[in-house]
Structure formats: structure tokens, C-alpha cells
Amino acid sequence: MKPAILFLRVSLQRYNVPALQASRISTQCNLVSVRHCYRYWNHTRFASTSQAVSNSQAASTSQKVAATARRLVRRVKNIFVGTGIGVLLFFGYFYVTDTRATAHQWLVPPALRWIYTDAEEAHHAGTRFLKTLYGFGLHPRERENSDALGDLELEVFGHMLVNPVGISAGLDKGAEIPDPLFSFGPAVVEVGGVTPLPQIGNPKPRVFRLPSQQALINRYGLNSDGADAVAMRLRLRLRRYAYENGFGIDEIGEQMVLDGGAGVPPGSLTKGKLLAVQIAKNSATSDEDIKAVKADYVYCVEALAKYADILVVNISCPNVSGQKLESLRDILTSVVDATKKLNRRMKPAVMVKVSPDEDTDEHVTSICEAVLESGVDGVIVSNTTKRRPSLLPIGYGLSSNEAALMEEQGGYSGPSLFERTVALVKRYRTRLDGLQAFPDPSSSDQENPKLRQPENPKRKVIFASGGITNGKQVLEVLDAGAGVAMLYTYLVYGGVGTITNIKRELTSEMRKVEEHGFVEKKE
């Protein structure tokens, strides 16, 4: 018995049986047989192990259930959060990329003015930002598609435009963002001005804001990347379009698009819209050297005209010395002749941009005569002014800061120019329609030359630019004789939805005219 009991004690210690329980087992072993002792010990050991295993399994099962519940809750939460984010991104995308979003008017323009205190820096930042967004398809675009109704269609230079609203030159000087600008809804986008050689323009700062007047004063001085750089951008844009539409990416595909094979204007690359490219001479070219001035314009024509639907000759910039009116006909004639030589089936129209400061009867008559005699197709009336117009509303008192800015040299643009624009459009319309005779160069009597009638004269087109801010004003300049109303400054303050809003207002005003037969004049 003793060896068995000794073995039993060692086994009890080995299996960590508690001392009190081991003592009881040993005592009982002294009273019963070894057989009964082993049987009792095994029963106790297996009962203890089974209880531990049972407790462990129960705990494990409980933990698994809790873990499963946590995973289920987490999964449901992730589904709700993911769905919420997806819905937010979906509707957020359509909101921020819609020109009708109020954020584009009340948030973005003030934010740019607050972040960039210098107006030129804000201009460059906006251009870069818009260019980047366009590359990712996140740019604002007109989703209303009001042009599809056809209520605002009109014919200009043989093209049926979807509406009579355009964007003036200056917003996209280097032709970097013509397509994003077209997506805002205008029928005409004017890029430039572009000079033959690159030039940096006037010293900075050279752009100043007048928020109370929603006006700008600028003295850029025709800063330009040069005709070759701009022509390269327009060429790459056209070839990319040719490649994406199956015409190829080489010169053959380019020429097919230029000749109208794509069924769209070769400048805008969009049906119902036109791209205008403004050209100017270099500031270093003397006004007295007419031959050099003509060479500057011809260089720009040869480099840029084939990528444009409209070529705009800028003789109006108030921040560079102006051309003499006597030489204007020669300059315009050289541009028209160079345009006719382009290797393109349908040649671009030629327009001349005039200054609002050249508003005497003599100036207006001389410019109209030069337009008619040179064969130019139209006039853009007008550009920024050196003068400082009356403030709006009448009697408004400027802050000391804005009063100081009003003294800055440069061209002024803003809503207060509107009345002058309407008056000038009427005068140019009257002069152009009335002057149907040209001097006969074969006549020796220059004091009283014989007059000859042009064959099949076409009515010259007028684009109105200056102070236009709403649909009612667009209708007013159209009634004054313009074909297209151009915007720039108000677009800076009103945001990318400006043109969408103006077209909606214009449609409303046209319906009022149809119902009542007159236009309500804006006070």
C-alpha cells in the first residue's frame, strides 16, 4: 500500500490538486483499497478538468458571440457611413460642377479676393485652378442647357450661334482655358490679346479692384506669351480634338478639322459657338513705323488666324500708345489680305476693337470708313476707358482706399460704363449702315472724290462690350444694333454662373417684350 500511496501523492502534486483535497484523498486511501483510491482520484481529476473545459468553452463561445456582434455593428455602421459619403459625393459633384450653384457667386469670388489681396495673383490662381479642374472633369459647367430650346439663337458671320452672350479678351490672355470658359455657357469666347513676341507688360502692381463699384482698373500693358506659344496651345488643342474624333493626330487630321470636316467651327470646336483671338502689336514697335506695325499684325495672323473663328485687331488698349487713325485703314487692309491667304476653306472673320475714348464724330466716322474700305467684317465696341465715370449709385461715397485706387493710371471697366456702351453701339450702327460709299482711288480729285458703291455689301457686325451685368442690358444693346454682348469684369465679381443667370434673365425679358411689346428701361 505504501508505494501506491506514495505514487498517488506524487500524482496529486503533479496535477496541482489543492493541498486540502489531497490530504482527504490520502486519508481515504489509508482506509480503502488502492483500487478504490485510484478510482476516487481519477473521478476527482476528470471532474475538475471537465468543469474547467466547460467553463473555458462557455467563455470562448461568449467571446465569439460578442465579437460577431461587434463585427456586425461595425459592418452596418460602415455601410451607412459609406453610403452617406457616396450620396454626398454624388450630389456634391453635381452641385459644385453646376454653374447655377450659389456657392459660385457668393462664396468663391469673395474667397479669392480674401485669399489673394493682389487682383492679378487671384486672376492667375483662378486660371490654374480652373485648368486643373477641367483636366479631371471637375470644372463648373452649364447643366441647365437652356440653349437647347433655341430661343436665343442668332446668325453671326454665317454661323448660327446658340445665344448672343460672350466673354471678352483679358480673362484668358494665353488661350490656356478656352474650353472651360465655353462650358460656362457663352457662345463666343475671346482670348488674348496676343503680341508677335512675348512681352511682360507694365510693372506690378497693375490690377486694382473696386468692389463697391464691381469695377476694375488695370494697366497690364498687353502682357503676352507671344504668338508662337499661344499658337502651339491652340494647335495641340485642335489636334487632340481631331484624334479623339477619329481624324488622326497628324497634319492631315488637323487640316480636315480646319476645313470643316468635323462639322464644327475650327476655332471653338463646338457647334453653335465661336472662338475669337485678339491680336496686337508689340509695345516696342513704333507707331510711326507703319510698315513695322503691319508686319506685327501680319505675323500674328499667320501664326494664329487658322485656329480662330474670329480675328480681333486691337487698336484700343489704353495702356499702350495707340495707332493713328490715318494709318488704320492700311493696317486693317494688311490683316484682311493676310487672312485671305490662309490655308483654310472657310476663313475667319476679322473685327476691330475700338476705344470708348475715341468717341468724337470725327473718330467714329474715320474708324467706320476704315472698316468699310478695308473689308473688315465688324467692330467690337468697346474696351476699357482712361476716364473715370460717375459712381453707382449716384452720389455714392468711396472709402479712402477705393478713392485712392481711382487715381491709379489704367483702363477702367465696370457697370458704370453701360450707358456709354449703348450710346456708342447706336452711333457705330448708324455710321456703318449709313456709309455705303467708298472713295474711288482712280479719282484725281481728292477733295471731292467720286464715290463707288460696293458690290453686295454685307451689314457689319457689332459686338458690345462694357458694363453689361444682366439680361435686360443684353437685350438693350442688342436693340441698339449689336449682335453679341460681351462680358468680363462682371464675370470676375459674379462668378462662373454669371452667364447662365444672364441668359435666363434675357429669356425672361424677351418674353416680356413678346407680351407687352417694349423693353422696360433699367433705372
Side-chain angles (χ1 to χ4, degrees):
M1 293 291 291
K2 290 183 178 180
I5 293 172
L6 179 61
F7 172 76
L8 179 59
R9 288 177 177 176
V10 172
S11 297
L12 291 172
Q13 293 175 0
R14 181 179 178 183
Y15 287 98
N16 298 320
V17 177
L20 181 59
Q21 189 176 358
S23 175
R24 291 175 181 174
I25 292 173
S26 298
T27 302
Q28 291 176 9
C29 285
N30 289 326
L31 301 175
V32 298
S33 64
V34 174
R35 182 178 178 180
H36 291 159
C37 181
Y38 271 117
R39 186 177 298 169
Y40 183 80
W41 170 74
N42 282 330
H43 173 76
T44 303
R45 178 168 66 88
F46 285 116
S48 176
T49 303
S50 298
Q51 183 67 29
V53 170
S54 177
N55 293 339
S56 175
Q57 289 178 345
S60 176
T61 302
S62 177
Q63 291 175 357
K64 288 181 179 179
V65 171
T68 302
R70 285 195 298 269
R71 285 196 298 269
L72 181 61
V73 171
R74 190 182 304 115
R75 187 173 299 175
V76 172
K77 185 186 295 183
N78 289 340
I79 290 174
F80 275 105
V81 172
T83 303
I85 293 175
V87 171
L88 182 63
L89 290 176
F90 178 79
F91 286 102
Y93 165 76
F94 281 97
Y95 177 79
V96 300
T97 59
D98 193 331
T99 56
R100 293 171 295 179
T102 55
H104 293 311
Q105 179 178 2
W106 303 109
L107 178 61
V108 176
L112 279 175
R113 292 197 298 270
W114 181 71
I115 296 171
Y116 300 97
T117 55
D118 182 81
E120 184 174 357
E121 290 182 5
H123 183 184
H124 294 320
T127 299
R128 290 193 302 268
F129 190 54
L130 189 57
K131 188 175 181 180
T132 301
L133 290 177
Y134 186 80
F136 289 100
L138 299 175
H139 61 289
R141 78 284 308 268
E142 191 174 56
R143 295 190 180 278
E144 190 176 45
N145 197 23
S146 58
D147 295 333
L149 300 175
D151 295 340
L152 303 180
E153 284 187 343
L154 75 162
E155 185 176 350
V156 174
F157 299 131
H159 299 273
M160 188 60 67
L161 298 187
V162 293
N163 64 71
V165 184
I167 295 178
S168 293
L171 200 61
D172 185 15
K173 287 179 171 289
E176 297 180 87
I177 51 172
D179 293 316
L181 294 182
F182 273 120
S183 67
F184 295 169
V188 179
V189 170
E190 182 185 2
V191 301
V194 186
T195 56
L197 300 177
Q199 62 182 32
I200 60 175
N202 293 323
K204 300 178 182 180
R206 51 191 180 183
V207 187
F208 309 95
R209 305 186 187 103
L210 297 167
S212 71
Q213 299 298 300
Q214 294 187 323
L216 294 173
I217 295 174
N218 91 81
R219 52 168 180 260
Y220 272 119
L222 280 173
N223 55 311
S224 172
D225 294 335
D228 293 334
V230 175
M232 178 62 71
R233 294 188 189 114
L234 293 175
R235 183 183 302 116
L236 291 175
R237 171 177 172 267
L238 187 142
R239 290 198 176 188
R240 183 168 56 250
Y241 176 89
Y243 175 75
E244 292 173 351
N245 288 272
F247 297 101
I249 200 170
D250 55 4
E251 293 182 359
I252 297 177
E254 175 185 335
Q255 193 61 45
M256 288 185 65
V257 177
L258 289 175
D259 288 336
V264 296
S268 69
L269 303 177
T270 305
K271 191 173 182 180
K273 300 188 177 186
L274 300 176
L275 177 70
V277 178
Q278 183 189 121
I279 61 175
K281 74 177 188 68
N282 279 115
S283 298
T285 303
S286 173
D287 292 330
E288 305 299 327
D289 190 347
I290 301 302
K291 185 177 181 180
V293 172
K294 291 164 61 176
D296 273 10
Y297 283 107
V298 170
Y299 185 92
C300 290
V301 172
E302 294 173 346
L304 296 163
K306 66 179 180 178
Y307 304 113
D309 303 311
I310 304 170
L311 202 63
V312 180
V313 182
N314 186 358
I315 62 168
S316 64
C317 182
N319 302 307
V320 295
S321 54
Q323 284 79 26
K324 292 182 178 179
L325 289 174
E326 306 86 65
S327 59
L328 178 59
R329 182 183 62 179
D330 292 339
I331 295 171
L332 296 179
T333 300
S334 66
V335 171
V336 172
D337 291 344
T339 303
K340 292 178 179 178
K341 298 176 183 178
L342 290 176
N343 182 25
R344 207 177 91 175
R345 186 175 62 84
M346 186 173 181
K347 308 300 188 286
V350 178
M351 302 186 77
V352 57
K353 177 170 276 191
V354 300
S355 169
D357 298 329
E358 296 175 345
D359 57 354
T360 65
D361 288 340
E362 181 183 0
H363 281 147
V364 173
T365 300
S366 296
I367 292 173
C368 290
E369 288 176 348
V371 167
L372 292 168
E373 294 173 11
S374 62
V376 167
D377 300 293
V379 181
I380 297 181
V381 183
S382 54
N383 204 339
T384 57
T385 176
K386 291 181 179 179
R387 303 170 186 171
R388 296 296 178 260
S390 301
L391 302 178
L392 293 176
I394 302 299
Y396 181 84
L398 293 176
S399 66
S400 57
N401 181 50
E402 290 191 348
L405 292 178
M406 285 289 281
E407 302 299 323
E408 292 284 352
Q409 182 181 357
Y412 181 98
S413 60
S416 54
L417 295 183
F418 175 71
E419 295 300 332
R420 184 188 297 184
T421 298
V422 174
L424 271 178
V425 168
K426 290 179 178 179
R427 292 174 64 189
Y428 272 96
R429 180 79 280 159
T430 301
R431 290 288 194 280
L432 288 171
D433 290 347
L435 291 173
Q436 296 297 318
F438 296 85
D440 187 350
S442 63
S443 174
S444 58
D445 185 3
Q446 296 299 320
E447 294 296 326
N448 186 23
K450 291 186 294 183
L451 301 178
R452 58 184 177 87
Q453 295 293 329
E455 297 181 2
N456 300 321
K458 294 182 180 180
R459 195 177 193 224
K460 302 302 180 182
V461 175
I462 294 178
F463 287 3
S465 176
I468 299 169
T469 62
N470 56 61
K472 186 178 294 185
Q473 292 179 339
V474 170
L475 187 56
E476 194 170 341
V477 296
L478 297 181
D479 289 341
V484 174
M486 307 289 284
L487 296 89
Y488 171 34
T489 303
Y490 192 67
L491 193 63
V492 173
Y493 286 96
V496 299
T498 299
I499 293 174
T500 300
N501 294 333
I502 285 179
K503 290 194 297 182
R504 189 185 301 117
E505 294 167 356
L506 175 59
T507 302
S508 176
E509 292 298 324
M510 291 174 62
R511 288 172 181 167
K512 289 180 182 178
V513 172
E514 291 177 358
E515 293 175 1
H516 305 293
F518 65 92
V519 180
E520 296 178 8
K521 297 296 181 180
K522 181 178 178 64
E523 292 297 333

